[in-house]
Amino acid sequence: MAQNYDPQAVEEKWQKSWEESRAFSADADPSREKYYVLEMFPYPSGRIHMGHVRNYAIGDVVARIKMMGGVNVLHPMGWDAFGMPAENAAIAAGVHPAKWTYENIEYMKKQLKRLGFSYDWDKELATCDPEYYRWEQLIFLKMLEKGLAYRRESYVNWCEPCQTVLANEQVVAGGCWRCDTPVSQKSMEQWFFKITAYVEDLLTSLDGLPGWPERVLAMQKNWIGISVGAEVDFPIAEGTGAIRVFTTRQDTLFGATFMSLAAEHPLAVELSRGTDQEDAVREFIRRTMQIDRTERTADLLEKEGVFTGSFCINPMTKEQIPVFVANFVLMEYGTGAVMAVPAHDQRDFEFAKRYDLSIRVVINPKDRELSEETMTEAFEEYGVLTESGQFTGMTSEDAREKINEYLKETGQGEGAITYRLRDWGISRQRYWGAPIPVVYCEGCGAVPVKEEDLPVVLPLDVRIDEAGRSPLPKLEEFVNTTCPKCSGPARRETDTMDTFVDSSWYFARFACPRYDQGPLEKERVDYWMAVDQYIGGIEHAVLHLLYSRFYTKVLKDFGILKVNEPFTNLLTQGMVTKETYTCPKHRWLFPDEVKAAKDGSFSCNICGSPVETGRIEKMSKSKKNVVDPDDMVKKFGADTVRFFCLSDVPPEKDLEWTDAGVDAAFRFLSRVHRFVTSEDRLRGVEAHPFSMPRTDAARSAYREMNSLLKRANDDFERFHFNTALARARELFTLTARFAEQIPAENEAEELAVLKLLAETFAILIYPAVPHLGEELWQSLGHTESLVRHPWLQPDPGALVAEEVELVVQVNGKLRGKITVPADAAEDEVREKALADERVSRFVGGKPVKKTIVVPGRLVNLVI
């Protein structure tokens, strides 16, 4: 008897079964093949969104298929709980960040469980737990001991609304990656991780990651930014020392006619001190430091500078050249000093024209000579050197190497390789983060906290400043302590660690989250690491992924990890998008605040005004084009939501959320449920084995089923879940059609094949809609769960065609088509071709001189 599809009842039933049986619990077992699948863990922001659902549904399909393949699967979940997002939201809500965070964790955990994801909740962790960050602090101490953590004063990226420092990677288009506010420069004492110590490994190891998207590899290579050239010293004309520059165009050294310093360069003020230019230099530096750093490197920036009042000496020409501070030079690129060659660099050309500085051509194109007087733009290509002493006449390529040799021989420089990557500033002037385990003693300086005194616990009994300022510097019971070295009075560090530190090693801790003897338990972490499949957004291509790779290499050098890369394969899923709605009175509207008319127009439910439909954009709270997963699960069930997220487009593409699409997914699953529960002929019947049936109809259905299974398996293997589920839909159509065609005779075999089709469908659809898959499986008479039921492989014999269609050619021209047995001999093929009426007309009774058969494709009759 048919049963109504009640997804709420079905899903709660199977979720309870999985939880009671601890179906997804995993532990290290060296006797078994392992597979570690992980989605990037979320901020406990309050509620999961559709982007989360899609991300986690993708990982769940992978995990479930691997489990059915007999593999030992680790599929954990946890919480990236520290950081500004949690703190800012808590401040806005008027609650303590700890209370806000842990309440959100509980709510979001219920949401994830309600969606039926196959997480091993025994492995759950939260980065704000002292039992997590105590080991993070220990790793910091080990890095400090090895010289990989250090403190220095530097210009940093400062976000005023967030009241904290940002790493270079956290500045996007000149704004804060969190609030988009323009970032300014500020000089502060900061803690850094020496990521540059691993720069070569970080770059070269990318070539050993074939399972990563090319786009992500390119983004990391670009951020690391290798440059090959030379370092050259320009002696200061009246004084001691030299200005060191890095250049990739040492072939243009003879054309350097002035020097440009970044406003942050320590010599910028020093060279002007005591000159008439000192006040002008200081004012120019002040103004330049207010300019967004991205804008300072933009082509459209008006090139400005100020003379320092000092000169340096071009080491090749021995000429004195003026030293300027320029607004387009940044301290983090190269050395913060740029030799200016206006004839061969457009920025320098524009600057020289503005300030009437010398322009000297030292590179000519191979086919003509340039003149300084007639140049309207810089010639920036390689060419042939001129006015370049002993190197005149050489090509740029040859001269670069020869000049490197000359610089080294004369002690004025040498060939060099530099990188764009800079050390990672981890100090944050915020409260909600892991304390940095260092104290400051007047006599001993900066002293690390003793290992046995870890963790340095973040105090929870504090009042949070509405402006975002950390309460820690004013919390005497936290700040005042004793020096671990001399036992005298000392003050604790009140900065906390960048939240990206927390997420740079969590994936390894998932292998042993309850281990209390160190950061990682070697036996378990060696078994599970590296992550076999990592899944997350492209927005993490530089920040999180780069830092995680760095941390993994550090932990390997400490003997804590054995792998050099954390993630073997990476999938970056697309966004979930939806159209936007705006009302002239109420601006952005939620979808449920919009009423659709029969003519396709929309109106505002609040005021009745006409509503304008906007672009299809990434779902965002600010534009209100969001759909609450809870509402969808209540209305349609978790399986419907999962099925739509997986079946519409490939994982790496953006998914457009549509009400019609979700409704269609629900109708399909309802039809499936109704068919299986109403087909009484399936009860008490044993499924046909994976072998060829006898009757024609059954053989045909069996062959088609295996063909669909083969294609679906191939699609699942390539993560083409949308086409794999399309094959599942086709299999259901085949099953329903075959049920209608079962004749009275030979019914036993036909029903056995029908049972096989239905069971194969249930297994095939299970990873995407696991609750319904389990329910169908049980309805078909099975008592065991599908969680570890063997995944199906097609019958190879059924994939071999019994008959094939061949193109028939006569003297190489297409004249017809014939169908022959797959194993037909050449004589049989020739006879069948000649018997074809259309072919015989073109042969015209002439003798066949030669027959050419290409198996499975064509036969050519030569007459």
Side-chain angles (χ1 to χ4, degrees):
M1 180 182 294
Q3 302 173 16
N4 289 329
Y5 178 42
D6 182 356
Q8 310 300 329
V10 168
E11 291 166 4
E12 290 174 11
K13 165 188 170 182
W14 288 105
Q15 288 164 16
K16 181 180 179 182
S17 173
W18 295 331
E19 186 165 359
E20 289 178 349
S21 66
R22 300 181 71 243
F24 310 120
S25 180
D27 201 2
D29 183 352
S31 69
R32 297 179 62 195
E33 178 187 355
K34 70 91 179 180
Y35 193 88
Y36 184 0
V37 57
L38 179 65
E39 303 94 58
M40 295 179 185
F41 67 166
Y43 295 114
S45 55
R47 303 172 78 89
I48 63 171
H49 53 67
M50 277 301 173
H52 289 131
V53 176
R54 189 186 187 203
N55 184 6
Y56 305 151
I58 292 167
D60 199 51
V61 169
V62 177
R64 288 180 184 271
I65 290 177
K66 289 294 182 181
M67 288 178 197
M68 296 176 79
V71 177
N72 191 16
V73 175
L74 176 61
H75 188 206
M77 175 52 69
W79 312 97
D80 193 5
F82 267 148
M84 286 187 290
E87 187 173 348
N88 288 344
I91 291 171
V95 299
H96 193 285
K99 181 176 186 294
W100 189 86
T101 297
Y102 281 109
E103 287 178 354
N104 287 345
I105 286 174
E106 284 306 305
Y107 187 83
M108 292 174 69
K109 184 176 179 179
K110 290 178 182 177
Q111 287 184 294
L112 295 178
K113 285 189 171 184
R114 181 60 190 84
L115 283 156
F117 297 127
S118 59
Y119 293 130
D120 180 357
W121 286 106
D122 293 340
K123 304 294 190 297
E124 181 184 12
L125 59 79
T127 59
C128 62
D129 185 342
E131 288 307 306
Y132 179 84
Y133 66 74
R134 73 177 288 195
W135 305 118
E136 190 169 291
Q137 292 173 341
L138 178 61
I139 294 169
F140 175 93
L141 295 181
K142 290 183 177 295
M143 294 174 76
L144 185 62
E145 180 185 338
K146 299 291 186 180
L148 294 172
Y150 64 93
R151 189 170 185 255
R152 66 174 169 84
E153 184 170 334
S154 71
Y155 283 98
V156 294
N157 307 302
W158 178 258
C159 176
E160 187 61 29
C162 293
Q163 286 287 298
T164 193
V165 168
L166 304 175
N168 290 341
E169 294 86 346
Q170 293 167 324
V171 180
V172 180
C176 171
W177 74 295
R178 272 290 160 199
C179 68
D180 291 330
T181 301
V183 170
S184 62
Q185 296 292 292
K186 193 172 184 178
S187 180
M188 298 179 69
E189 287 279 343
Q190 296 287 293
W191 283 97
F192 289 84
F193 282 159
K194 198 172 181 60
I195 192 172
T196 53
Y198 288 81
V199 65
E200 291 184 17
D201 193 6
L202 286 167
L203 185 62
T204 57
S205 294
L206 290 171
D207 294 331
L209 296 173
W212 283 40
E214 283 297 329
R215 181 183 176 193
V216 175
L217 294 174
M219 291 170 74
Q220 291 229 345
K221 288 177 182 178
N222 179 65
W223 189 261
I224 294 169
I226 186 170
S227 297
V228 180
E231 288 187 341
V232 188
D233 290 329
F234 285 67
I236 296 171
E238 296 181 5
T240 59
I243 302 173
R244 171 155 284 206
V245 304
F246 172 80
T247 179
T248 59
R249 292 299 304 272
Q250 56 268 44
D251 54 318
T252 66
L253 263 167
F254 284 83
T257 59
F258 62 96
M259 177 70 66
S260 299
L261 301 180
E264 302 90 342
H265 198 290
L267 288 176
V269 172
E270 185 64 29
L271 290 176
S272 68
R273 187 169 285 121
T275 72
D276 294 340
Q277 293 293 110
E278 184 172 358
D279 290 343
V281 167
R282 290 184 182 276
E283 173 58 20
F284 180 81
I285 290 173
R286 186 194 66 77
R287 286 191 293 109
T288 300
M289 298 288 280
Q290 303 305 311
I291 303 174
D292 163 55
R293 291 200 302 182
T294 304
E295 185 181 342
R296 284 170 65 182
T297 59
D299 291 337
L300 297 178
L301 175 74
E302 186 175 0
K303 311 301 184 290
E304 293 183 332
V306 61
F307 178 45
T308 61
S310 296
F311 295 82
C312 63
I313 298 171
N314 183 321
M316 308 301 275
T317 65
K318 308 305 179 186
E319 296 173 337
Q320 289 193 9
I321 59 176
V323 180
F324 280 74
V325 181
N327 64 351
F328 56 86
V329 181
L330 295 182
M331 191 65 205
E332 62 261 35
Y333 295 116
T335 64
V338 176
M339 66 173 205
V341 186
H344 305 293
D345 182 275
Q346 186 61 30
R347 292 183 311 171
D348 297 341
F349 183 86
E350 294 172 14
F351 193 93
K353 286 291 187 181
R354 175 169 185 155
Y355 293 101
D356 195 25
L357 298 170
S358 173
I359 299 175
R360 177 181 300 144
V361 172
V362 293
I363 305 286
N364 277 321
K366 293 181 180 180
D367 58 350
R368 70 185 192 280
E369 291 189 0
L370 301 175
S371 169
E372 294 89 348
E373 289 75 20
T374 59
M375 291 181 74
T376 58
E377 62 181 4
F379 174 71
E380 298 183 325
E381 307 299 321
Y382 282 174
V384 179
L385 273 66
T386 184
E387 302 296 327
S388 297
Q390 68 198 68
F391 307 102
T392 296
M394 291 185 183
T395 63
S396 292
E397 295 86 348
D398 292 340
R400 292 176 79 239
E401 292 303 317
K402 294 295 183 183
I403 289 173
N404 280 357
E405 294 173 7
Y406 175 81
L407 291 170
K408 188 171 184 178
E409 290 171 1
T410 57
Q412 300 178 106
E414 60 184 341
I417 297 175
T418 66
Y419 299 87
R420 181 187 178 201
L421 184 67
R422 292 293 180 264
D423 284 342
W424 175 12
I426 65 154
S427 294
R428 297 294 177 267
Q429 292 67 46
R430 297 295 296 239
Y431 162 69
W432 192 237
I436 296 174
V438 171
V439 303
Y440 299 101
C441 171
E442 189 171 331
C444 305
V447 182
V449 172
K450 291 181 179 179
E451 183 176 333
E452 57 266 30
D453 292 333
L454 298 179
V456 177
V457 177
L458 182 72
L460 299 182
D461 187 16
V462 298
R463 181 181 176 84
I464 308 301
D465 190 313
E466 291 183 2
R469 287 181 289 270
S470 172
L472 295 180
K474 297 180 180 179
L475 198 65
E476 291 188 6
E477 58 268 36
F478 174 76
V479 174
N480 295 330
T481 185
T482 57
C483 174
K485 198 171 183 179
C486 70
S487 300
R491 293 178 61 82
R492 289 197 188 278
E493 171 65 78
T494 57
D495 284 355
T496 54
M497 291 193 224
D498 181 6
T499 185
F500 280 101
V501 176
D502 308 332
S503 59
S504 292
W505 71 288
Y506 80 104
F507 42 85
R509 182 68 181 175
F510 268 140
C512 50
R514 308 293 169 256
Y515 186 59
D516 62 0
Q517 301 301 307
L520 299 172
E521 185 179 1
K522 185 169 178 56
E523 180 182 347
R524 284 187 167 90
V525 79
D526 283 353
Y527 174 78
W528 287 116
M529 286 296 289
V531 176
D532 295 281
Q533 183 63 62
Y534 200 38
I535 303 168
I538 190 70
E539 66 271 18
H540 300 291
V542 172
L543 290 167
H544 164 58
L545 292 174
L546 184 64
Y547 294 154
S548 297
R549 296 181 61 228
F550 162 64
Y551 239 71
T552 299
K553 295 173 189 299
V554 169
L555 294 179
K556 181 188 178 187
D557 284 352
F558 289 171
I560 298 174
L561 281 177
K562 70 176 183 180
V563 296
N564 194 48
E565 288 288 340
F567 315 118
T568 304
N569 297 289
L570 173 69
L571 172 67
T572 53
Q573 88 280 356
M575 298 180 295
V576 180
T577 65
K578 187 168 175 38
E579 62 189 0
T580 56
Y581 305 103
T582 52
C583 167
K585 293 183 179 179
H586 297 96
R587 295 183 56 77
W588 302 106
L589 297 176
F590 288 109
D592 59 5
E593 295 175 334
V594 177
K595 183 178 181 179
K598 292 182 179 179
D599 62 359
S601 62
F602 298 94
S603 60
C604 175
N605 277 340
I606 304 171
C607 66
S609 299
V611 167
E612 182 179 345
T613 304
R615 297 184 306 171
I616 296 171
E617 300 184 48
K618 176 184 177 182
M619 285 188 179
S620 69
K621 294 178 183 177
S622 62
K623 295 185 178 180
K624 298 187 177 181
N625 63 333
V626 293
V627 175
D628 188 342
D630 283 359
D631 293 342
M632 292 295 101
V633 170
K634 288 175 185 176
K635 184 175 181 180
F636 297 108
D639 278 344
T640 293
V641 175
R642 292 166 57 122
F643 189 77
F644 176 73
C645 286
L646 293 163
S647 64
D648 196 59
V649 294
E652 68 275 9
K653 302 293 184 183
D654 289 348
L655 168 69
E656 181 186 351
W657 186 273
T658 65
D659 296 339
V662 180
D663 192 58
F666 178 73
R667 290 198 307 272
F668 172 71
L669 298 185
S670 298
R671 189 163 65 250
V672 166
H673 181 269
R674 184 167 57 251
F675 172 82
V676 174
T677 58
S678 66
E679 185 51 81
D680 293 335
R681 292 176 295 175
L682 295 172
R683 315 293 170 240
V685 176
E686 287 293 324
H688 195 282
F690 263 68
S691 60
M692 190 66 68
R694 296 188 306 275
T695 65
D696 289 344
R699 290 168 72 90
S700 175
Y702 181 74
R703 285 185 178 280
E704 189 174 348
M705 179 200 77
N706 277 277
S707 175
L708 290 170
L709 179 58
K710 170 72 165 60
R711 291 157 63 193
N713 282 358
D714 290 345
D715 287 337
F716 275 129
E717 186 71 24
R718 299 195 300 266
F719 287 16
H720 294 176
F721 300 146
N722 60 317
T723 51
L725 294 176
R727 303 292 84 79
R729 283 178 180 267
E730 292 180 55
L731 178 55
F732 176 71
T733 301
L734 168 67
T735 305
R737 186 176 69 240
F738 185 71
E740 295 174 355
Q741 298 171 350
I742 295 177
E745 64 276 9
N746 300 317
E747 186 175 336
E749 182 180 59
E750 309 284 356
L751 287 178
V753 170
L754 177 62
K755 184 74 171 279
L756 176 63
L757 294 176
E759 289 186 354
T760 301
F761 171 77
I763 292 172
L764 197 59
I765 205 168
Y766 160 79
V769 290
H771 313 89
L772 181 58
E774 293 269 33
E775 188 73 6
L776 298 179
W777 190 245
Q778 188 180 74
S779 296
L780 291 167
H782 298 280
T783 56
E784 79 281 7
S785 169
L786 280 175
V787 170
R788 286 180 174 80
H789 185 281
W791 186 251
L792 296 180
Q793 298 299 329
D795 176 3
L799 300 175
V800 178
E802 293 182 317
E803 293 184 326
V804 294
E805 186 179 66
L806 300 181
V807 168
V808 181
Q809 296 177 342
V810 178
N811 290 343
K813 293 183 179 181
L814 176 63
R815 298 307 186 194
K817 294 180 180 180
I818 59 172
T819 300
V820 299
D823 57 354
E826 182 179 310
D827 289 346
E828 185 179 354
V829 172
R830 182 172 62 250
E831 289 176 12
K832 190 75 178 281
L834 290 171
D836 183 85
E837 182 179 348
R838 188 165 183 267
V839 173
S840 66
R841 287 205 313 269
F842 288 100
V843 174
K846 297 176 183 177
V848 177
K849 297 179 180 178
K850 188 177 183 181
T851 302
I852 303 172
V853 178
V854 180
R857 291 180 54 196
L858 61 83
V859 55
N860 182 23
L861 305 176
V862 181
I863 59 176

